[in-house]
Amino acid sequence: MKSMPIARIAVGAPLRSLFDYAIPPGAQPAPGARVAVSFGRAKAVGVVVELLGETDCPHDRLKPLSRVIDPEPLLADDDLAFLRWVADYYHHPIGEVVLTALPRRLRSAVATLEAGEPMWELTDAGRAFLQSSAGRAPRQREILDWLQRQTAHIAPQQQLKSIFSGSHAVFKTLCDKGLIASGMRLAATPLAIDSDDGHELNAEQAKAYESVAGKLGEFAVALLDGVTGSGKTEVYLQLATAVLASGKSVLVLVPEISLTPQLYERFRQRLGDTVQMTHSAMTDNEREHAWHRARLGLSRVLLGTRSSIFTPIADLGLVIVDEEHDPSFKQTEGFRYSARDLAIVRGQRAQCPVVLGSATPSLESLRNVQADRYRHLRLDQRAGNAQPPRIDLLDVRDQPLQCGVSAPLLERVDAVLARGEQVMLFLNRRGYAPVLTCFSCGWLSDCPRCDARQTVHRASGLLWCHHCGAQRRVPSVCPECGEDDLHPLGQGTEQLEGYLAERYAQYPLIRVDRDATARKGSLDALLQRLHDADAAILVGTQMLAKGHHFPRVTLVGVLDADGGLYSADFRSTERMAQLLIQVAGRAGRGDRPGQVLIQTRFPEHPLLQTLVRHGYRAFAEQALQERQSASMPPYSHQALLRAEASRRDAAETFLAEVAAWASQVASSEVALWGPVPAPMARRAGKHRVHLLLQAAQRNALHAVLRALPEFAAGLPVAKRVRWHLDIDPIDLY
């Protein structure tokens, strides 16, 4: 067969192969560059993975490339090799994996944006406005005054948006008036590394720093296990400073968008404008600018959420995963990957250290410490003079509750507010009430599309399913019997806020949940109200549990700690313990001692007793022993095959055929559980069925998984079923 130049292309389609295309005369595609191709009857954008001299495909069936989009590759050979490994490990279509690594704009046939960083500069008109407009337009003056204090009166647009959140209209007005001008900067200002930055590490922090810094230039994983408020971020900053001084780059992963701006500001203040951030709330153009700057080495610190793990980074020298235990690092829709686990792989491929930080490490990471795969670096002292809070259980079995709050907790709230201090009440349930019922006939506000209840949202007048998003108006009479006897059952943050606002009308009351912070910039505004207040009450969900510093909060009340004690998910107690400790860590972070009161109807529960009396580490040891005795992760490895269909029998038949096949081809080390209905058997109108595969050794599990997708896709019933494979699942719902 005569050889001809061939390009092997990854196309963003749900197909598990690469596709060969002929390279037309004059075209010079490079691996890592985008190309336009004809794919079936449609046009598509793909990425060149490799160039070949020949192919098994008959030449007369080869289609030519339509167009080379990028004259230079966007992904280096190392990036492509990493993405191919990822696709192989997660058994996911290679094209979808490769396209995930590109910014959203570049998944279409558009030209790349300039690689510079968008800036705003104070103009002569802006300086004149500051001198002549006393008392006018205070928000505009505040921004202009801040710009005037910066070097050369210029600053990155993303930095100003972070500092002055919620001011998009103000920035537009300033631009329209000519008071500020936009521009692009191609390179970050060189960073002057100061070895004496005035932030002295305590003995524990210094030991942790030296342990990681001594491994710069080689692969090693360290679990930075530090109690809340112990100064993990300071260790991150000093490690990043050392990496930058060596000419390398740093990747910092955080679990939540809400945590990114505050950590970004801390890094930016210390490390200058070489710090970039990226997350889903940014515009497509902003994210692409940050992406280019990271891959070209124009910025040397990239701070972002889960998807940042795929960003090409020049000269990667350190990977940091903050709050490594957080389930948000696992993508649970579409391409299901774990950013924390992939951080380890990236560190190994780049031969650089990886730091996993947490006050409540995952059992997987603690197991890796036990097996000597990770070093265990402990920070047991809170930074400064702050002392760990005292944690007590409140038995509420025989207590009357006011909107979920017991009388003893209310007495403590009264005392704390009277001292001019702040209170945080934690209820991980947004909305007004979890369910609406009719006292006459027993009707419940079931979701018509899920095996779940619709939550009452009184402010919007809606019944809202938090699983599929289905909404309807709150009825005025019972839809079943027509009686005017409807009542909400249970409490949510909206109801709790209303009760507390009436009881404590003289104190500021701030509610933080997904509903209250839906508008851009609203979270920053709410937290600023708290920081500006003296005595105040903070009510919220798990959004408050991570990373926030509330120095005046001395009392934390947890209203319902029992949800995770008796769940069908074996990970529920671990997540409950992590959440309780993270919430408790918001108390007593200043110079006043803190107290945490946990309301429960199961005060004798052994794991809860261990957690409160002996702390998270003792709890984790006990939980690990239970997992080991049951041969559950992290002492085994799992893959979950999920199937959903309009008819339950289709999903059951599909998984039954897969299970019969797998039982024949898998080794005896692989156990199959199912098919069984999912814990939520119907969601968004689809019936859901699970097949769980488990093995003590990862190789035995993946041996059968490699052949499973092809077999499953070939089943006749597969056309009536939507299915996906979840490697290392973190929940069974």
Side-chain angles (χ1 to χ4, degrees), residues 427-434 455-457 464-467 491-494 511 513-515 541:
L427 178 61
N428 204 24
R429 191 183 302 121
R430 63 189 175 103
Y432 186 83
T455 300
V456 182
H457 287 255
W464 189 353
C465 177
H466 292 171
H467 298 280
Q491 296 82 33
T493 50
E494 189 182 345
R511 185 182 109 223
D513 57 25
R514 193 183 304 176
D515 301 326
T541 60

Side-chain angles (χ1 to χ4, degrees), residues 201-225 235-236 238-240 242-243 317-318 352-356 369 373-379:
L201 299 176
N202 63 31
E204 288 183 337
Q205 290 173 315
K207 183 178 179 181
Y209 168 83
E210 294 295 341
S211 178
V212 179
K215 296 290 185 179
L216 294 181
E218 59 184 282
F219 171 65
V221 184
L223 175 62
L224 186 59
D225 179 359
V235 177
Y236 301 158
Q238 299 212 17
L239 285 171
V243 172
L318 175 67
C352 72
V354 179
V355 178
L356 308 178
V369 167
R373 288 188 285 266
Y374 297 174
R375 287 170 296 152
H376 197 184
L377 309 177
R378 292 173 55 162
L379 303 179

Side-chain angles (χ1 to χ4, degrees), residues 1-8 20-23 31 48 50-59 62:
M1 181 180 292
K2 183 180 178 181
S3 66
M4 65 184 300
I6 304 295
R8 186 153 285 174
D20 291 350
Y21 285 82
I23 301 176
V48 179
E50 57 183 320
L51 301 177
L52 306 171
E54 57 183 36
T55 176
D56 294 334
C57 181
H59 288 187
L62 281 178

Side-chain angles (χ1 to χ4, degrees), residues 427-432 457 466 492-497 510-519 522-523 526-527 538-544:
L427 178 61
N428 204 24
R429 191 183 302 121
R430 63 189 175 103
Y432 186 83
H457 287 255
H466 292 171
T493 50
E494 189 182 345
Q495 183 181 157
L496 179 61
E497 177 191 32
I510 297 124
R511 185 182 109 223
V512 176
D513 57 25
R514 193 183 304 176
D515 301 326
T517 59
R519 296 182 61 182
S522 56
L523 176 61
L526 289 171
L527 296 181
L538 181 62
V539 172
T541 60
Q542 63 183 1
M543 288 183 68
L544 294 174

Side-chain angles (χ1 to χ4, degrees), residues 16 654 708-716 718-719 723:
R16 300 172 190 273
F654 171 78
L708 190 154
E710 182 178 357
F711 174 81
L715 291 173
K719 297 178 181 179
W723 61 274

Side-chain angles (χ1 to χ4, degrees), residues 405-571:
V405 190
S406 65
L409 180 54
L410 287 171
E411 291 174 4
R412 301 291 180 89
V413 172
D414 294 341
V416 168
L417 294 175
R419 294 198 301 266
E421 298 165 359
Q422 295 178 350
V423 175
M424 178 175 139
L425 296 180
F426 174 79
L427 178 61
N428 204 24
R429 191 183 302 121
R430 63 189 175 103
Y432 186 83
V435 64
L436 186 69
T437 186
C438 175
F439 281 4
S440 293
C441 70
W443 173 85
L444 296 170
S445 55
D446 291 332
C447 175
R449 306 177 70 223
C450 301
D451 290 339
R453 313 289 190 207
Q454 285 186 310
T455 300
V456 182
H457 287 255
R458 177 165 286 186
S460 59
L462 294 174
L463 294 175
W464 189 353
C465 177
H466 292 171
H467 298 280
C468 73
Q471 297 178 354
R472 52 179 164 162
R473 302 300 301 178
V474 174
S476 56
V477 297
C478 176
E480 193 74 25
C481 69
E483 293 293 327
D484 182 13
D485 202 10
L486 296 174
H487 301 272
L489 293 182
Q491 296 82 33
T493 50
E494 189 182 345
Q495 183 181 157
L496 179 61
E497 177 191 32
Y499 168 72
L500 295 173
E502 183 177 344
R503 180 183 173 97
Y504 299 105
Q506 69 273 38
Y507 297 107
L509 176 60
I510 297 124
R511 185 182 109 223
V512 176
D513 57 25
R514 193 183 304 176
D515 301 326
T517 59
R519 296 182 61 182
K520 189 174 182 179
S522 56
L523 176 61
D524 291 335
L526 289 171
L527 296 181
Q528 190 59 50
R529 278 187 60 204
L530 182 72
H531 289 304
D532 292 341
D534 292 322
I537 304 174
L538 181 62
V539 172
T541 60
Q542 63 183 1
M543 288 183 68
L544 294 174
K546 311 161 195 169
H548 298 291
H549 181 59
F550 306 129
R552 295 191 185 94
V553 171
T554 58
L555 174 65
V556 169
V558 179
L559 301 195
D560 184 6
D562 299 334
L565 294 177
Y566 298 100
S567 169
D569 189 343
F570 69 90
R571 286 188 172 88

